[in-house]
Amino acid sequence: MSLRYAYNTNGMAHHRLDDALDLLGEHGYDGVALTLDHHHLDPLAPGAPAEAQRVRARLDDLGLAAVVETGARYLLDPRAKHEPTFVTPDAPGRARRLDFLRRTVDVAGVLGAETVSFWAGVPRAGVDRGAAWEWLVEGVARLAEHAAGPGVALSFEPEPGMLVETPREWERLRDAVAQAAPGTPPLLLALDSGHCIVTGDLAPDEAVRAYADRLGTVAVEDMRRGVHEHLAWGEGDMDVPAVLAALDEVGYRRLVTVELSRDSHRAHELVPRTIAYLRAAEARAADGRTEP
């Protein structure tokens, strides 16, 4: 088994970006899942293009590949988490989200990132879901047209509680975007395996097999059934070896990312612990064992 692992910088929020990258290189990671934020390569900053070039050189020096993530909590609005989104009712807010994602695509192109991952957003109370769906399709279609220029792959992540929660709903969105933006590359699936045991629609390893040829990026972490909380290893109900075995079985060779966004205070412990855990889980999967 030869899976490639990355750690998300949203779980290293108290580290300078260069220090975070050094730590990942030191512990044998293959890449970084870079959440663009005010302190980690802010795409809205005036010097973003030059900073992206500098970070690309650091990645090359360290032998790290990249996935670009867009889940910064307060980058666009310091008073509302993750707002505005593509399902925000005011058009200027949706335009700000699109501008941010276009800038993110441009940064990803400079970094040579494998993909840009993004999500729908949570509809506010009173928002008509049909209208929200139309806003989402329009926004993703405009983003797909922009990404086609630099050839950056887009991966859409279903998130519990958001307008698009499951891979099946992602399929509907992918087809709608293909109609709205004909000729653009297909929208890939950003599969967070933990979300599968939150929504309960598919077992994580089953989702890997079902969507193997449409996966743009995959995340693993521990999580409890029915509870959307990213947990460190051994704190939840995930059968991680089963997920890794399925990824190897389908020949997945993109980065497998780890998102522990609530654990930045102990990143110095979890970064080395995570890579050791995943390599041990690979060995258990190869032996047909799922228990530690």
Side-chain angles (χ1 to χ4, degrees):
M1 193 178 294
S2 56
L3 297 175
R4 301 165 60 242
Y5 295 111
Y7 200 96
N8 199 324
T9 57
N10 71 357
M12 306 179 78
H14 308 310
H15 282 75
R16 297 181 184 89
L17 180 55
D18 281 358
D19 291 340
L21 297 178
D22 285 343
L23 199 60
L24 298 184
E26 174 185 331
H27 289 288
Y29 284 83
D30 299 285
V32 59
L34 177 54
T35 296
L36 303 188
D37 209 336
H38 63 91
H39 58 306
H40 286 162
L41 214 174
D42 182 353
L44 305 180
E51 176 65 359
Q53 291 284 0
R54 189 194 68 80
V55 172
R56 171 64 184 267
R58 292 288 297 129
L59 294 173
D60 291 345
D61 287 346
L62 293 166
L64 295 174
V67 166
V68 172
E69 303 279 355
T70 58
R73 289 178 171 89
Y74 298 103
L75 185 61
L76 300 186
D77 187 338
R79 296 172 182 81
K81 179 183 175 182
H82 288 156
E83 287 286 340
T85 72
F86 276 148
V87 298
T88 297
D90 64 290
R94 298 195 299 275
R96 285 172 58 205
R97 173 60 61 172
L98 178 57
D99 175 67
F100 162 66
L101 290 174
R102 283 172 169 163
R103 291 170 182 261
T104 296
V105 164
D106 295 342
V107 167
V110 173
L111 297 180
E114 293 184 359
T115 192
V116 169
S117 173
F118 66 107
W119 32 248
V122 179
R124 296 180 190 174
V127 169
D128 178 78
R129 292 184 73 85
W133 177 260
E134 292 178 2
W135 300 333
L136 177 62
V137 172
E138 179 184 5
V140 178
R142 301 293 79 78
L143 181 63
E145 290 169 347
H146 181 80
V152 173
L154 297 178
S155 297
F156 188 92
E157 181 177 4
E159 283 264 3
M162 292 193 177
L163 183 65
V164 175
E165 296 188 271
T166 68
R168 181 165 294 181
E169 292 168 346
W170 160 81
E171 288 187 86
R172 180 187 171 209
L173 177 63
R174 176 203 59 191
D175 294 345
V177 170
Q179 288 189 338
T184 58
L187 187 66
L188 300 175
L189 173 64
L191 178 68
D192 189 314
S193 56
H195 294 170
C196 295
I197 66 171
V198 177
T199 59
D201 56 317
L202 272 177
D205 57 317
E206 292 173 350
V208 168
R209 295 184 179 92
Y211 294 97
D213 60 342
R214 290 158 282 181
L215 296 175
T217 184
V218 174
V220 294
E221 66 280 309
D222 215 340
M223 206 169 284
R224 297 189 187 97
R225 291 183 179 85
V227 181
H228 187 196
E229 184 177 353
H230 293 237
L231 302 172
W233 316 107
E235 298 177 5
D237 302 315
M238 279 287 293
D239 186 348
V240 176
V243 176
L244 301 184
L247 288 168
D248 184 64
E249 175 188 319
V250 302
Y252 181 82
R253 292 298 176 260
R254 293 173 179 257
L255 290 171
V256 179
T257 70
V258 174
E259 182 180 358
L260 297 175
S261 57
R262 301 187 182 193
D263 289 287
S264 288
H265 64 287
R266 53 175 180 158
H268 64 296
E269 299 172 351
L270 285 177
V271 165
R273 176 180 156 194
T274 288
I275 195 71
Y277 173 88
L278 291 171
R279 294 301 182 197
E282 277 191 16
R284 294 199 301 275
D287 292 342
R289 295 180 288 123
T290 60
E291 296 298 324

